[in-house]
Amino acid sequence: MLDCAKPHDKITTEVSGFVLEDVPHLSDYIPDLPTYPDPLQDNPSYSVVAQYYVHVDDTVAQQIVVHKNSPRGTHFRRAGPAQKVYFDSEEVYACIVTCGGLCPGLNTVIREIVCGLYHMYGVHKVLGIEGGYPGFYSRNTVPLTPKVVNDIHKRGGTIIGTSYGGHDTSKIVDSIQDRGINQVYILGGFGTQMEAAMIFEEVRRRGLKVAVVGIPKTIDNDIPVIDKSIGFDTAVEEAQRAINSAHVEAESAENGIGVVKLMGRYSGFIAMYATLASRDVDCCLIPESPFYLEGPGGLLEFVEKRLKEQGHMVIVIAEGAGQELLSGSPSIAYKQGASADKILPDVGLWLSQKIKDHFAKLQKMAINLKYIDPTYMIRAIPSNASDNVFCTLLAQSAVHGAMAGYTGFTVGPVNGRNCYIPFHLINEGEKRVVITDRMWARLLSSTHQPSFLYQKDITGGEEHQTSERQNHPETAD
């Protein structure tokens, strides 16, 4: 039974409670498309694989921890090569664009899309769109070949450049149509994936045989449904360097305090995982967990207590934490210019000054505070080994999906298996740390910090947290 909850959504439900959130296919709106044998069948690299084609009915469950009488729940189409493809390799003209801020792993994904198309499918025409979305209609492009991209994975940033804003759906699709491009690979975060969905809808409206594929990119790890996005592992690892430096500085001084600000505008995943990995952090502050400074149980009281106990401490704070304290209400201003990102006041500097002012008033304890902000150092580095492998699998999965005729999807891991996820699910809202689940409890047991929440705040938030767990079960463990 096909149940379309929204226009064009492909949702299949069965009596057993099995729900397939399927992705669009070119054949949904272009009839009588020819198919071709998958070139992988003649690829010697894959000849040793017992079963390298993904079965058309293979799906991946969103929730893998269930009760014996639970419905089977939501599933996604498993990523991988198909026995039949919907593009003749010689006719494929692909393009790649990177949008938004920098992130470790962008060059690796670019490399593996180009090499995957070339070596697995014999596609020799791949174009890099320079400078983000505006590159489509400003005619800034560069041909990409395996030779051009051979060692770019060793560099940070993106060889084709990036930018914020500049999205004009009609102009972009005009450019795609005029150039004869028929596969579009879009690397970007939450906002970029929303804009990719708009490109897909316009392509479908025009009836073009163009596969539009999103690849999730954000070190904040705030894209819903998927386990993680590219660059996150590298960001957590690089954050260790800043935390280690802060710990050395704090431990080497009398009443030393190291404050480290990490990225995390609305989601505190980097701060949480870096804290857990470090074991040198005494307090971790994230946007999802409110805190207060003054009075019993407040942050300043905890700082005093920790300094008396061990003579030093390290505080990690995500950039979006405590914003409501800076001016009495959420303090957000819009940037001028192309970027739609919002400027947040520097909470790290603010917190550092508050701590200094507090101890200056006490006149009982002289402190030595060092503030470290490694934000752009983390964004600009090459991806580590783990992310390089992850980027390779994502890129190859994206290529397999496009060649198989799927479109209008983002590729990402769900419970460790790469899947094709429809744009509308990716764009429903950003993923958050759930502070009533085990991972946050593990952090609290590591840092031994208080929750900084009044009991009424905890009670009042229970309903919201329950809703978050249902919407984003991947954060529960």
Side-chain angles (χ1 to χ4, degrees):
M1 179 180 75
L2 191 65
D3 175 22
C4 293
K6 299 177 184 177
H8 307 307
D9 287 355
K10 293 175 67 177
I11 305 174
T12 303
T13 59
E14 296 181 1
V15 177
S16 63
F18 173 90
V19 178
L20 174 61
E21 285 275 7
D22 207 354
V23 296
H25 194 275
L26 293 172
S27 62
D28 294 340
Y29 63 93
I30 304 177
D32 304 320
L33 279 176
T35 60
Y36 309 89
D38 192 321
L40 282 176
Q41 68 182 6
D42 301 318
N43 189 319
S45 299
Y46 282 79
S47 62
V48 297
V49 181
Q51 182 181 348
Y52 51 81
Y53 292 128
V54 171
H55 193 279
V56 68
D57 290 330
D58 279 0
T59 60
V60 178
Q62 184 174 18
Q63 296 190 47
I64 57 174
V65 179
V66 296
H67 297 158
K68 63 180 181 180
N69 295 325
S70 298
R72 294 182 61 189
T74 299
H75 291 65
F76 303 106
R77 183 170 293 281
R78 183 184 174 192
Q83 276 190 301
K84 293 183 179 179
V85 298
Y86 282 74
F87 289 94
D88 182 345
S89 299
E90 294 183 356
E91 297 176 356
V92 173
Y93 192 11
C95 74
I96 305 170
V97 62
T98 53
C99 304
L102 293 182
C103 172
L106 289 175
N107 278 335
T108 306
V109 174
I110 293 169
R111 181 189 190 279
E112 296 308 322
I113 291 175
V114 173
C115 291
L117 284 167
Y118 190 97
H119 296 302
M120 292 191 296
Y121 288 98
V123 173
H124 295 172
K125 294 186 291 184
V126 185
L127 199 64
I129 306 297
E130 294 187 313
Y133 282 131
F136 275 105
Y137 47 85
S138 60
R139 299 286 169 173
N140 296 329
T141 60
V142 56
L144 298 176
T145 65
K147 184 176 181 180
V148 169
V149 302
N150 182 55
D151 61 354
I152 64 172
H153 61 292
K154 300 172 184 177
R155 308 180 219 162
T158 163
I159 62 161
I160 56 177
T162 185
S163 67
Y164 289 93
H167 179 88
D168 186 315
T169 304
S170 181
K171 281 180 158 183
I172 290 171
V173 178
D174 284 347
S175 176
I176 291 169
Q177 192 169 5
D178 291 345
R179 295 172 188 270
I181 291 169
N182 49 25
Q183 290 185 11
V184 182
Y185 298 91
I186 302 173
L187 284 70
F190 185 73
T192 300
Q193 299 302 312
M194 293 183 69
E195 292 158 344
M198 296 164 64
I199 293 172
F200 160 67
E201 290 295 344
E202 179 63 15
V203 163
R204 174 157 51 184
R205 188 187 70 79
R206 298 188 189 187
L208 304 178
K209 186 186 176 183
V210 177
V212 180
V213 181
I215 299 173
K217 173 236 57 162
T218 167
I219 60 176
D220 286 353
N221 200 35
D222 58 359
I223 295 179
V225 182
I226 64 175
D227 301 342
K228 64 177 180 179
S229 52
I230 67 172
F232 178 67
D233 283 352
T234 305
V236 171
E237 182 176 305
E238 187 66 14
Q240 299 303 292
R241 299 179 186 272
I243 293 173
N244 290 342
S245 296
H247 183 250
V248 169
E249 289 283 354
E251 196 175 36
S252 300
E254 183 178 3
N255 297 321
I257 301 175
V259 178
V260 180
K261 186 186 80 171
L262 298 176
M263 295 188 78
R265 184 173 294 271
Y266 305 113
S267 302
F269 288 102
I270 292 180
M272 179 174 71
Y273 277 82
T275 294
L276 278 167
S278 169
R279 301 292 175 175
D280 287 329
V281 179
D282 298 281
C283 183
C284 178
L285 305 170
I286 62 173
E288 297 89 339
S289 182
F291 66 93
Y292 59 99
L293 295 176
E294 310 283 350
L299 177 61
L300 295 175
E301 180 185 80
F302 175 68
V303 173
E304 281 186 57
K305 178 174 178 288
R306 188 53 58 91
L307 287 179
K308 289 174 182 176
E309 289 173 349
Q310 63 185 31
H312 66 275
M313 76 175 300
V314 175
I315 300 172
V316 168
I317 184 165
E319 63 179 318
Q323 289 294 323
E324 68 280 359
L325 299 177
L326 272 65
S327 62
S329 61
S331 181
I332 297 175
Y334 284 95
K335 282 185 182 177
Q336 302 299 314
S339 173
D341 273 1
K342 300 171 183 178
I343 291 179
L344 299 180
D346 192 328
V347 70
L349 282 174
W350 170 84
L351 178 61
S352 298
Q353 192 58 52
K354 285 291 184 181
I355 293 173
K356 290 177 182 178
D357 292 345
H358 173 76
F359 282 97
K361 288 178 185 177
L362 284 182
Q363 296 184 343
K364 295 179 182 177
M365 187 186 297
I367 64 167
N368 191 323
L369 187 146
K370 297 293 190 298
Y371 173 53
I372 298 175
D373 180 358
T375 296
Y376 294 102
M377 293 172 60
I378 290 175
R379 295 191 345 160
I381 64 172
S383 51
N384 64 13
S386 173
D387 258 326
N388 269 339
V389 174
F390 179 53
C391 291
T392 298
L393 298 179
L394 275 190
Q396 290 184 359
S397 293
V399 168
H400 291 318
M403 291 298 295
Y406 296 111
T407 182
F409 68 89
T410 295
V411 62
V414 176
N415 296 315
R417 295 282 188 176
N418 282 342
C419 303
Y420 303 139
I421 303 162
F423 278 139
H424 76 88
L425 289 181
I426 294 294
N427 296 329
E428 283 184 348
E430 291 157 309
K431 183 169 66 177
R432 303 280 195 270
V433 174
V434 178
I435 62 171
T436 54
D437 277 347
R438 291 190 195 93
M439 191 59 78
W440 187 246
R442 292 181 184 117
L443 179 139
L444 295 179
S445 69
S446 170
T447 62
H448 305 293
Q449 69 188 66
S451 67
F452 301 119
L453 287 172
Y454 292 109
Q455 186 60 39
K456 64 180 179 63
D457 294 326
I458 298 174
T459 305
E462 282 178 355
E463 183 176 342
H464 171 71
Q465 298 295 341
T466 299
S467 174
E468 283 291 298
R469 281 198 302 274
Q470 292 172 346
N471 291 334
H472 306 301
E474 67 276 6
T475 65
D477 292 328

